[in-house]
Coordinates of all heavy atoms in Angstrom, one line a residue:
L1 N -126.0 -10.4 27.2 CA -126.9 -9.5 26.5 C -127.7 -10.2 25.5 O -128.9 -10.0 25.5 CB -126.1 -8.3 25.8 CG -126.9 -7.3 25.0 CD1 -128.0 -6.7 25.9 CD2 -126.0 -6.3 24.4
G2 N -127.1 -11.1 24.8 CA -127.9 -11.9 23.8 C -129.0 -12.8 24.5 O -130.1 -12.9 24.0
L3 N -128.6 -13.4 25.6 CA -129.6 -14.2 26.3 C -130.7 -13.4 26.9 O -131.9 -13.7 26.8 CB -128.9 -15.0 27.5 CG -129.7 -15.9 28.3 CD1 -130.5 -16.9 27.5 CD2 -128.9 -16.6 29.4
A4 N -130.4 -12.2 27.5 CA -131.4 -11.3 28.0 C -132.3 -10.8 26.9 O -133.5 -10.8 27.1 CB -130.7 -10.1 28.7
F5 N -131.7 -10.5 25.7 CA -132.6 -10.1 24.6 C -133.6 -11.2 24.2 O -134.7 -10.9 24.0 CB -131.7 -9.8 23.4 CG -132.4 -9.3 22.2 CD1 -132.6 -7.9 22.0 CD2 -133.0 -10.2 21.3 CE1 -133.3 -7.5 20.9 CE2 -133.7 -9.7 20.2 CZ -133.9 -8.4 20.0
Q6 N -133.1 -12.5 24.2 CA -134.0 -13.6 23.8 C -135.1 -13.8 24.8 O -136.2 -14.0 24.5 CB -133.2 -14.9 23.6 CG -134.0 -16.0 23.2 CD -134.7 -15.7 21.8 OE1 -134.0 -15.4 20.9 NE2 -136.0 -15.8 21.8
I7 N -134.7 -13.7 26.1 CA -135.7 -13.9 27.1 C -136.8 -12.8 27.0 O -138.0 -13.1 27.1 CB -135.1 -13.9 28.5 CG1 -134.2 -15.2 28.7 CG2 -136.2 -13.9 29.6 CD1 -133.4 -15.2 29.9
Q8 N -136.4 -11.6 26.9 CA -137.3 -10.5 26.7 C -138.2 -10.7 25.5 O -139.4 -10.4 25.5 CB -136.6 -9.1 26.6 CG -137.6 -7.9 26.5 CD -138.5 -7.7 27.6 OE1 -138.5 -8.4 28.6 NE2 -139.3 -6.6 27.6
D9 N -137.6 -11.2 24.4 CA -138.4 -11.4 23.2 C -139.4 -12.5 23.4 O -140.6 -12.4 23.0 CB -137.4 -11.9 22.1 CG -138.1 -11.9 20.7 OD1 -138.5 -10.8 20.2 OD2 -138.2 -13.0 20.1
D10 N -139.1 -13.5 24.2 CA -140.0 -14.6 24.5 C -141.2 -14.0 25.4 O -142.3 -14.4 25.2 CB -139.3 -15.7 25.2 CG -138.4 -16.5 24.4 OD1 -138.4 -16.3 23.1 OD2 -137.6 -17.3 24.9
I11 N -140.8 -13.2 26.3 CA -141.8 -12.6 27.2 C -142.8 -11.7 26.4 O -144.0 -11.7 26.6 CB -141.1 -11.8 28.4 CG1 -140.4 -12.8 29.3 CG2 -142.2 -10.9 29.1 CD1 -139.5 -12.1 30.3
L12 N -142.2 -10.9 25.5 CA -143.0 -10.0 24.7 C -144.0 -10.8 23.8 O -145.1 -10.3 23.6 CB -142.1 -9.1 23.9 CG -141.4 -8.0 24.6 CD1 -140.4 -7.3 23.7 CD2 -142.4 -7.0 25.3
D13 N -143.6 -11.9 23.4 CA -144.4 -12.7 22.5 C -145.7 -13.1 23.3 O -146.8 -13.3 22.7 CB -143.7 -14.0 22.0 CG -144.5 -14.7 21.0 OD1 -144.7 -14.2 19.9 OD2 -145.0 -15.8 21.3
I14 N -145.6 -13.2 24.6 CA -146.7 -13.6 25.4 C -147.5 -12.4 25.8 O -148.8 -12.4 25.8 CB -146.3 -14.4 26.7 CG1 -145.7 -15.7 26.3 CG2 -147.4 -14.6 27.7 CD1 -145.0 -16.5 27.4
E15 N -146.9 -11.3 26.2 CA -147.5 -10.2 26.9 C -148.0 -9.1 25.9 O -148.8 -8.3 26.3 CB -146.6 -9.6 28.0 CG -146.4 -10.6 29.1 CD -145.7 -10.0 30.3 OE1 -144.9 -9.0 30.1 OE2 -145.9 -10.4 31.4
S16 N -147.4 -9.0 24.8 CA -147.7 -7.9 23.9 C -148.7 -8.3 22.8 O -149.0 -9.4 22.6 CB -146.4 -7.4 23.2 OG -145.5 -6.8 24.1
T17 N -149.2 -7.2 22.1 CA -150.1 -7.4 21.1 C -149.4 -7.5 19.7 O -148.3 -7.0 19.6 CB -151.2 -6.3 21.0 OG1 -150.5 -5.1 20.7 CG2 -151.9 -6.2 22.4
T18 N -150.1 -8.0 18.7 CA -149.5 -8.0 17.4 C -149.2 -6.6 16.9 O -148.2 -6.3 16.3 CB -150.5 -8.7 16.4 OG1 -150.7 -10.0 16.9 CG2 -150.0 -8.6 15.0
E19 N -150.1 -5.6 17.3 CA -149.9 -4.2 16.8 C -148.7 -3.6 17.5 O -147.9 -2.9 16.8 CB -151.1 -3.4 17.2 CG -152.4 -3.7 16.5 CD -153.1 -5.0 17.0 OE1 -152.9 -5.3 18.2 OE2 -153.8 -5.6 16.2
T20 N -148.4 -3.9 18.8 CA -147.3 -3.4 19.5 C -146.0 -4.0 18.9 O -145.0 -3.3 18.7 CB -147.4 -3.7 21.0 OG1 -148.6 -3.1 21.5 CG2 -146.2 -3.1 21.7
L21 N -146.0 -5.3 18.7 CA -144.8 -6.1 18.3 C -144.5 -5.8 16.9 O -143.3 -5.9 16.5 CB -145.0 -7.6 18.5 CG -145.0 -8.1 19.9 CD1 -145.3 -9.6 19.9 CD2 -143.7 -7.8 20.6
G22 N -145.5 -5.6 16.0 CA -145.2 -5.5 14.6 C -145.1 -6.9 13.9 O -144.6 -7.0 12.8
K23 N -145.4 -7.9 14.7 CA -145.4 -9.3 14.2 C -146.4 -10.0 15.0 O -146.9 -9.5 16.0 CB -144.0 -9.9 14.4 CG -143.5 -10.1 15.8 CD -142.1 -10.7 15.8 CE -141.7 -10.9 17.3 NZ -140.4 -11.6 17.4
S24 N -146.7 -11.2 14.6 CA -147.8 -12.0 15.3 C -147.4 -12.3 16.7 O -146.5 -13.0 17.0 CB -148.0 -13.3 14.5 OG -148.4 -13.1 13.2
A25 N -148.2 -11.8 17.6 CA -148.0 -12.1 19.1 C -148.6 -13.5 19.3 O -149.5 -13.9 18.7 CB -148.8 -11.1 19.9
G26 N -148.0 -14.2 20.2 CA -148.4 -15.5 20.6 C -148.0 -16.6 19.6 O -148.4 -17.8 19.8
K27 N -147.2 -16.3 18.7 CA -146.7 -17.2 17.6 C -145.9 -18.3 18.2 O -146.1 -19.5 17.8 CB -145.9 -16.4 16.6 CG -145.5 -17.3 15.4 CD -144.7 -16.4 14.4 CE -144.0 -17.2 13.4 NZ -143.2 -16.4 12.5
D28 N -145.1 -18.0 19.2 CA -144.2 -19.0 19.8 C -145.1 -20.1 20.5 O -144.8 -21.3 20.4 CB -143.2 -18.4 20.8 CG -142.2 -17.5 20.1 OD1 -142.0 -17.7 18.9 OD2 -141.5 -16.8 20.8
V29 N -146.1 -19.7 21.3 CA -146.9 -20.6 22.0 C -147.7 -21.4 21.0 O -147.8 -22.7 21.1 CB -147.9 -19.9 22.9 CG1 -148.9 -20.8 23.5 CG2 -147.1 -19.1 24.0
A30 N -148.2 -20.8 20.0 CA -149.0 -21.5 18.9 C -148.2 -22.6 18.2 O -148.7 -23.7 17.9 CB -149.6 -20.5 17.9
Q31 N -146.9 -22.3 18.1 CA -146.0 -23.3 17.4 C -145.3 -24.2 18.4 O -144.5 -25.0 18.0 CB -145.0 -22.5 16.6 CG -145.6 -21.8 15.4 CD -144.5 -21.0 14.6 OE1 -143.3 -20.9 15.0 NE2 -144.9 -20.6 13.4
E32 N -145.7 -24.1 19.7 CA -145.2 -24.9 20.7 C -143.6 -24.9 20.7 O -142.9 -25.9 21.0 CB -145.7 -26.4 20.6 CG -147.1 -26.5 20.8 CD -147.7 -27.9 20.6 OE1 -146.9 -28.8 20.6 OE2 -148.9 -28.1 20.6
K33 N -143.1 -23.6 20.6 CA -141.6 -23.5 20.6 C -141.1 -23.6 22.0 O -141.8 -23.3 23.0 CB -141.3 -22.1 20.1 CG -141.4 -22.0 18.6 CD -140.8 -20.6 18.1 CE -140.7 -20.6 16.6 NZ -140.0 -19.3 16.2
S34 N -139.9 -24.0 22.1 CA -139.2 -24.1 23.4 C -138.7 -22.7 23.8 O -137.6 -22.3 23.4 CB -138.1 -25.1 23.3 OG -137.5 -25.3 24.6
T35 N -139.5 -22.0 24.6 CA -139.1 -20.6 25.0 C -138.8 -20.6 26.5 O -139.1 -21.6 27.2 CB -140.2 -19.6 24.7 OG1 -141.3 -20.0 25.5 CG2 -140.6 -19.6 23.2
Y36 N -138.2 -19.6 26.9 CA -137.9 -19.5 28.4 C -139.2 -19.5 29.2 O -139.2 -20.2 30.2 CB -137.0 -18.2 28.7 CG -135.6 -18.5 28.3 CD1 -135.1 -18.3 27.1 CD2 -134.7 -19.1 29.3 CE1 -133.8 -18.6 26.7 CE2 -133.4 -19.5 28.9 CZ -133.0 -19.2 27.7 OH -131.7 -19.5 27.4
P37 N -140.2 -18.7 28.9 CA -141.4 -18.9 29.6 C -142.0 -20.3 29.6 O -142.6 -20.7 30.6 CB -142.4 -17.8 29.0 CG -141.4 -16.8 28.4 CD -140.3 -17.6 27.9
A38 N -141.9 -20.9 28.5 CA -142.4 -22.3 28.4 C -141.6 -23.3 29.3 O -142.2 -24.2 29.9 CB -142.4 -22.8 26.9
L39 N -140.3 -23.0 29.4 CA -139.5 -23.9 30.2 C -139.4 -23.6 31.6 O -139.4 -24.4 32.5 CB -138.0 -23.9 29.6 CG -137.8 -24.4 28.2 CD1 -136.4 -24.1 27.7 CD2 -138.1 -25.9 28.2
L40 N -139.4 -22.3 32.0 CA -139.2 -21.8 33.3 C -140.5 -21.2 34.0 O -140.6 -21.1 35.2 CB -138.1 -20.7 33.4 CG -136.8 -21.0 32.8 CD1 -135.9 -19.8 32.9 CD2 -136.1 -22.2 33.6
G41 N -141.4 -20.8 33.1 CA -142.6 -20.1 33.6 C -142.3 -18.6 33.4 O -141.2 -18.1 33.3
L42 N -143.4 -17.8 33.3 CA -143.3 -16.4 33.0 C -142.6 -15.6 34.1 O -141.6 -14.8 33.9 CB -144.6 -15.8 32.7 CG -144.7 -14.4 32.2 CD1 -143.9 -14.2 30.9 CD2 -146.1 -13.9 32.0
D43 N -143.0 -15.9 35.4 CA -142.3 -15.2 36.5 C -140.9 -15.5 36.6 O -140.0 -14.6 36.9 CB -143.1 -15.5 37.8 CG -144.5 -14.9 37.8 OD1 -144.7 -13.9 37.1 OD2 -145.3 -15.4 38.6
A44 N -140.5 -16.8 36.5 CA -139.1 -17.2 36.6 C -138.3 -16.6 35.5 O -137.1 -16.2 35.6 CB -139.0 -18.7 36.6
S45 N -138.9 -16.5 34.3 CA -138.2 -15.8 33.1 C -137.9 -14.4 33.4 O -136.8 -13.9 33.1 CB -139.0 -16.0 31.9 OG -139.2 -17.3 31.5
K46 N -138.9 -13.7 34.0 CA -138.7 -12.3 34.3 C -137.6 -12.1 35.4 O -136.8 -11.2 35.4 CB -140.0 -11.7 34.8 CG -141.0 -11.5 33.7 CD -142.3 -10.9 34.2 CE -143.3 -10.7 33.1 NZ -144.6 -10.1 33.6
S47 N -137.6 -13.0 36.4 CA -136.6 -13.0 37.4 C -135.2 -13.2 36.8 O -134.2 -12.5 37.2 CB -136.9 -14.1 38.5 OG -138.0 -13.7 39.2
L48 N -135.1 -14.2 35.9 CA -133.8 -14.4 35.3 C -133.3 -13.2 34.5 O -132.2 -12.9 34.5 CB -133.9 -15.7 34.4 CG -132.6 -16.0 33.6 CD1 -131.4 -16.2 34.5 CD2 -132.9 -17.3 32.8
L49 N -134.3 -12.6 33.8 CA -133.9 -11.4 33.1 C -133.4 -10.3 34.0 O -132.4 -9.7 33.7 CB -135.2 -10.9 32.4 CG -135.1 -9.7 31.4 CD1 -134.1 -10.1 30.3 CD2 -136.4 -9.4 30.8
N50 N -134.0 -10.1 35.2 CA -133.5 -9.1 36.1 C -132.1 -9.5 36.6 O -131.2 -8.7 36.8 CB -134.4 -9.0 37.3 CG -135.7 -8.2 36.9 OD1 -135.6 -7.3 36.0 ND2 -136.8 -8.6 37.5
V51 N -131.9 -10.8 36.9 CA -130.5 -11.3 37.3 C -129.5 -11.0 36.3 O -128.4 -10.5 36.6 CB -130.6 -12.8 37.7 CG1 -129.2 -13.4 37.9 CG2 -131.4 -13.0 38.9
L52 N -129.8 -11.3 35.0 CA -128.9 -11.1 33.9 C -128.5 -9.6 33.8 O -127.4 -9.2 33.6 CB -129.4 -11.6 32.6 CG -129.5 -13.1 32.5 CD1 -130.3 -13.5 31.2 CD2 -128.1 -13.7 32.5
M53 N -129.5 -8.7 34.0 CA -129.3 -7.3 33.9 C -128.4 -6.8 35.0 O -127.4 -6.1 34.8 CB -130.6 -6.5 33.9 CG -130.4 -5.0 33.7 SD -129.7 -4.7 32.1 CE -129.3 -3.0 32.3
Q54 N -128.6 -7.3 36.2 CA -127.7 -7.0 37.4 C -126.3 -7.4 37.1 O -125.4 -6.7 37.4 CB -128.3 -7.5 38.7 CG -129.6 -6.9 39.1 CD -130.3 -7.6 40.3 OE1 -129.8 -8.6 40.7 NE2 -131.4 -7.0 40.7
Q55 N -126.2 -8.7 36.6 CA -124.9 -9.2 36.4 C -124.1 -8.4 35.3 O -122.9 -8.1 35.5 CB -124.9 -10.7 35.9 CG -125.3 -11.6 37.0 CD -125.5 -13.0 36.5 OE1 -125.7 -13.3 35.3 NE2 -125.5 -14.0 37.4
M56 N -124.8 -8.0 34.3 CA -124.2 -7.2 33.2 C -123.7 -5.9 33.8 O -122.6 -5.4 33.5 CB -125.2 -6.9 32.1 CG -125.3 -8.1 31.1 SD -126.3 -7.7 29.6 CE -127.9 -7.7 30.3
Q57 N -124.5 -5.2 34.6 CA -124.1 -3.9 35.2 C -122.9 -4.1 36.1 O -122.0 -3.3 36.1 CB -125.3 -3.3 35.9 CG -126.4 -2.8 34.9 CD -127.6 -2.2 35.6 OE1 -127.8 -2.5 36.8 NE2 -128.4 -1.5 34.8
T58 N -122.9 -5.2 36.9 CA -121.8 -5.4 37.8 C -120.5 -5.7 37.1 O -119.5 -5.1 37.4 CB -122.1 -6.7 38.7 OG1 -123.3 -6.4 39.5 CG2 -121.0 -7.0 39.6
H59 N -120.6 -6.5 36.0 CA -119.4 -6.8 35.3 C -118.9 -5.6 34.5 O -117.6 -5.4 34.3 CB -119.6 -8.0 34.4 CG -119.8 -9.3 35.1 ND1 -118.8 -9.9 35.9 CD2 -120.9 -10.1 35.2 CE1 -119.3 -11.0 36.4 NE2 -120.5 -11.1 36.0
L60 N -119.8 -4.8 34.0 CA -119.4 -3.6 33.2 C -118.9 -2.4 34.0 O -118.3 -1.5 33.5 CB -120.5 -3.2 32.3 CG -120.8 -4.2 31.1 CD1 -122.1 -3.8 30.4 CD2 -119.6 -4.3 30.2
S61 N -119.3 -2.4 35.3 CA -119.0 -1.3 36.2 C -117.5 -1.0 36.3 O -117.1 0.1 36.5 CB -119.6 -1.4 37.5 OG -119.0 -2.5 38.2
M62 N -116.7 -2.0 36.1 CA -115.2 -1.8 36.2 C -114.7 -1.0 35.1 O -113.6 -0.5 35.2 CB -114.5 -3.2 36.3 CG -114.5 -3.9 34.9 SD -113.5 -5.4 34.9 CE -114.6 -6.5 35.7
F63 N -115.4 -0.8 34.0 CA -115.0 0.0 32.9 C -115.5 1.4 33.0 O -115.2 2.2 32.1 CB -115.5 -0.6 31.6 CG -114.9 -2.0 31.4 CD1 -115.7 -3.1 31.6 CD2 -113.6 -2.2 31.0 CE1 -115.2 -4.4 31.4 CE2 -113.1 -3.5 30.8 CZ -113.9 -4.6 31.0
G64 N -116.2 1.8 34.1 CA -116.6 3.1 34.3 C -117.5 3.7 33.1 O -118.3 3.0 32.5
S65 N -117.2 4.9 32.8 CA -118.1 5.6 31.8 C -117.9 5.0 30.4 O -118.7 5.2 29.5 CB -117.8 7.1 31.8 OG -116.4 7.3 31.4
K66 N -116.8 4.3 30.2 CA -116.6 3.7 28.9 C -117.6 2.6 28.6 O -117.9 2.3 27.4 CB -115.2 3.1 28.8 CG -114.1 4.1 28.8 CD -112.7 3.5 28.7 CE -111.6 4.5 28.7 NZ -110.3 3.9 28.6
A67 N -118.2 2.1 29.6 CA -119.2 1.0 29.4 C -120.6 1.5 29.3 O -121.5 0.8 29.0 CB -119.2 0.0 30.6
E68 N -120.8 2.8 29.4 CA -122.2 3.4 29.4 C -122.9 3.1 28.1 O -124.1 2.7 28.1 CB -122.1 4.9 29.6 CG -121.8 5.2 31.1 CD -121.8 6.7 31.3 OE1 -122.2 7.5 30.5 OE2 -121.3 7.1 32.4
P69 N -122.3 3.1 26.9 CA -123.0 2.8 25.7 C -123.6 1.3 25.7 O -124.7 1.1 25.3 CB -122.0 3.0 24.6 CG -121.1 4.0 25.1 CD -121.0 3.7 26.5
L70 N -122.7 0.4 26.2 CA -123.2 -1.0 26.3 C -124.2 -1.2 27.3 O -125.2 -1.9 27.1 CB -122.0 -1.9 26.6 CG -122.2 -3.4 26.5 CD1 -122.8 -3.8 25.1 CD2 -120.9 -4.1 26.7
I71 N -124.1 -0.5 28.4 CA -125.2 -0.5 29.5 C -126.5 0.0 28.9 O -127.6 -0.5 29.2 CB -124.7 0.2 30.7 CG1 -123.6 -0.6 31.4 CG2 -125.9 0.4 31.7 CD1 -122.9 0.2 32.5
E72 N -126.4 1.1 28.2 CA -127.6 1.7 27.6 C -128.3 0.7 26.6 O -129.5 0.6 26.5 CB -127.3 3.0 26.9 CG -127.1 4.1 27.9 CD -126.8 5.4 27.2 OE1 -127.3 5.7 26.1 OE2 -126.0 6.2 27.8
L73 N -127.4 0.0 25.8 CA -127.9 -1.0 24.8 C -128.6 -2.1 25.6 O -129.7 -2.6 25.2 CB -126.8 -1.5 24.0 CG -127.1 -2.6 23.0 CD1 -128.1 -2.0 21.9 CD2 -125.9 -3.1 22.3
A74 N -128.0 -2.6 26.7 CA -128.6 -3.6 27.5 C -129.9 -3.2 28.0 O -130.9 -3.9 28.0 CB -127.6 -4.0 28.6
N75 N -130.0 -2.0 28.6 CA -131.3 -1.5 29.1 C -132.3 -1.4 28.1 O -133.5 -1.8 28.3 CB -131.0 -0.1 29.7 CG -130.4 -0.1 31.1 OD1 -130.6 -1.1 31.8 ND2 -129.6 0.9 31.4
F76 N -131.9 -1.0 26.9 CA -132.9 -0.9 25.8 C -133.4 -2.3 25.4 O -134.6 -2.5 25.2 CB -132.3 -0.2 24.5 CG -133.1 -0.3 23.3 CD1 -134.2 0.5 23.2 CD2 -132.9 -1.3 22.3 CE1 -135.1 0.4 22.1 CE2 -133.7 -1.4 21.2 CZ -134.8 -0.5 21.1
A77 N -132.5 -3.2 25.3 CA -132.9 -4.6 24.9 C -133.8 -5.2 25.9 O -134.8 -5.9 25.5 CB -131.6 -5.4 24.7
I78 N -133.6 -5.0 27.2 CA -134.3 -5.6 28.2 C -135.6 -4.9 28.5 O -136.6 -5.6 28.8 CB -133.5 -5.7 29.5 CG1 -132.3 -6.7 29.2 CG2 -134.3 -6.1 30.7 CD1 -131.3 -6.8 30.3
K79 N -135.7 -3.6 28.4 CA -136.9 -2.9 28.7 C -137.8 -2.5 27.5 O -138.8 -1.9 27.6 CB -136.5 -1.6 29.4 CG -135.8 -1.9 30.8 CD -135.4 -0.6 31.5 CE -134.7 -1.0 32.8 NZ -134.2 0.1 33.5
R80 N -137.3 -3.0 26.3 CA -138.1 -2.7 25.1 C -139.5 -3.3 25.2 O -139.7 -4.3 25.9 CB -137.4 -3.2 23.9 CG -137.3 -4.7 23.8 CD -136.3 -5.1 22.7 NE -135.9 -6.5 22.9 CZ -136.5 -7.5 22.3 NH1 -137.4 -7.3 21.4 NH2 -136.1 -8.8 22.6
Q81 N -140.4 -2.7 24.5 CA -141.8 -3.1 24.5 C -142.2 -3.7 23.2 O -143.4 -4.2 23.1 CB -142.7 -2.0 24.9 CG -142.5 -1.5 26.3 CD -142.7 -2.6 27.4 OE1 -143.7 -3.2 27.4 NE2 -141.7 -2.7 28.3
S82 N -141.4 -3.7 22.2 CA -141.7 -4.3 20.9 C -140.5 -4.7 20.2 O -139.4 -4.5 20.7 CB -142.5 -3.3 20.1 OG -141.7 -2.1 19.8

């Protein structure tokens, strides 16, 4: 979940606006930070994010409805727009 959150954060820094994010968009690129899109590319980063989400759901499925809050948190973290 933490890795997925970070990848989404890196993607949002590229794709979102400052107004949407509530912080300076493009800051990571401007500072030449080592981000997932910088290392893997934007498309590969999005693919990895989807793989991580699928893995989380698979691993948590054994816990049934008890895992729903964590799955919802994961969905929020990955699908967030800001």
Side-chain angles (χ1 to χ4, degrees):
L1 176 56
L3 179 56
F5 182 92
Q6 184 59 55
I7 293 170
Q8 179 65 356
D9 193 63
D10 292 348
I11 291 169
L12 288 172
D13 187 69
I14 293 171
E15 293 187 333
S16 291
T17 64
T18 298
E19 293 78 26
T20 302
L21 289 175
K23 62 179 184 177
S24 298
K27 184 178 170 187
D28 293 344
V29 173
Q31 293 181 349
E32 298 180 10
K33 284 189 172 184
S34 182
T35 64
Y36 280 89
L39 296 170
L40 305 176
L42 189 57
D43 290 338
S45 296
K46 289 178 179 181
S47 292
L48 178 56
L49 187 60
N50 287 326
V51 167
L52 290 171
M53 185 60 192
Q54 290 171 356
Q55 288 176 342
M56 282 188 283
Q57 289 177 342
T58 298
H59 292 295
L60 291 171
S61 67
M62 72 174 79
F63 298 104
S65 62
K66 291 181 181 180
E68 286 179 14
L70 188 53
I71 292 171
E72 287 180 31
L73 177 63
N75 284 327
F76 172 78
I78 290 171
K79 295 177 182 180
R80 66 192 164 95
Q81 297 300 311
S82 60

